[in-house]
């Protein structure tokens, strides 16, 4: 893994938690695969992909490497050395940078891992395309919606009113 130079120490009561954020390359596909499959199993309601979409015949090194070789900035967070979360920034066309694939493992929730991941993506987004960082979030995922609001994202409305699964656009300046 290639480091992005980010290490955070958070004091949680009497415990110091060390959060490290690392940028992935195509060579880190196994690390990405491990966390992505955990994320899809843990929170299937939060992603456009399903676990089954990435298993069986679809679970190939070539596909995982291809995902990391795109127009994205892919990160993994560790807490005290243990993989704990992931996020990506995606540049597509002329629009703003989008935060995608955001997930934090249950054991690391509430320890500011998500904050650290979003902060790193936001820094990268500002270098790519100053303006806004946008995301889509499932409306029923109240914890995620509250988190994004807490860190400065504002609601921009429903992505597709005719969709079966209601997602909302949110954005914040970068």
């Amino acid at each position: 893994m290639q480091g992005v130079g980010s290490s955070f120490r958070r004091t949680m009561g009497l415990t110091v938690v060390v959060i490290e954020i690392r940028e992935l390359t195509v060579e880190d596909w196994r690390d990405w695969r491990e966390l992505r499959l955990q994320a899809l199993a843990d929170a299937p309601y939060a992603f456009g992909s399903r676990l089954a979409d990435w298993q069986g015949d679809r679970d190939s090194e070539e596909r995982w490497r291809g995902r990391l070789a795109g127009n994205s900035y892919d990160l993994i967070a560790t807490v005290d050395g243990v993989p704990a979360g992931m996020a990506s920034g995606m540049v597509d066309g002329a629009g703003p940078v989008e935060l995608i694939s955001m997930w934090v493992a249950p054991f690391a929730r509430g320890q500011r891992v998500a904050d650290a991941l979003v902060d790193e993506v936001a820094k990268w987004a500002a270098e790519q395309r100053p303006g806004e960082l946008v995301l889509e979030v499932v409306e029923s995922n109240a914890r995620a919606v509250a988190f994004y609001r807490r860190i400065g994202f504002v609601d921009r409305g429903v992505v597709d009113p005719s969709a079966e699964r209601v997602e909302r656009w949110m954005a914040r300046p970068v």
Side-chain angles (χ1 to χ4, degrees):
M1 282 188 243
Q2 177 181 335
V4 294
S6 295
S7 182
F8 307 89
R9 291 188 182 279
R10 304 274 191 225
T11 303
M12 307 296 286
L14 299 176
T15 305
V16 175
V17 176
V18 177
I19 301 168
E20 292 183 320
I21 307 294
R22 298 177 193 234
E23 179 183 359
L24 301 177
T25 69
V26 294
E27 299 305 316
D28 300 310
W29 69 272
R30 286 180 186 87
D31 298 326
W32 179 258
R33 177 187 177 276
E34 178 184 336
L35 276 178
R36 179 68 175 172
L37 294 177
Q38 286 178 35
L40 292 170
D42 174 63
Y45 54 85
F47 299 98
S49 297
R50 297 173 306 134
L51 181 59
D53 295 336
W54 288 88
Q55 292 181 315
D57 293 342
R58 297 173 178 181
D59 185 2
S60 69
E61 178 179 340
E62 180 181 2
R63 185 171 184 210
W64 290 106
R65 284 177 175 271
R67 168 54 180 83
L68 294 174
N71 296 327
S72 61
Y73 179 63
D74 303 296
L75 304 172
I76 284 183
T78 60
V79 172
D80 296 331
V82 179
M86 62 185 211
S88 294
M90 178 71 73
V91 177
D92 189 22
V97 175
E98 187 173 358
L99 174 66
I100 63 170
S101 300
M102 178 73 188
W103 178 76
V104 174
F107 83 89
R109 292 176 187 156
Q111 297 183 45
R112 304 277 184 188
V113 173
D115 299 69
L117 284 164
V118 173
D119 286 348
E120 287 300 323
V121 172
K123 287 178 199 173
W124 177 82
E127 294 169 2
Q128 304 306 303
R129 268 198 202 128
E132 290 186 319
L133 177 62
V134 300
L135 60 87
E136 295 177 27
V137 62
V138 176
E139 189 173 61
S140 61
N141 190 348
R143 183 178 179 143
V145 170
F147 164 71
Y148 292 127
R149 284 188 177 133
R150 179 178 62 77
I151 62 169
F153 282 85
V154 295
D155 191 331
R156 292 291 173 84
V158 174
V159 174
D160 178 0
S162 65
E164 182 177 318
R165 188 175 97 144
V166 179
E167 293 183 322
R168 304 197 69 81
W169 278 110
M170 296 185 84
R172 88 173 207 195
V174 292

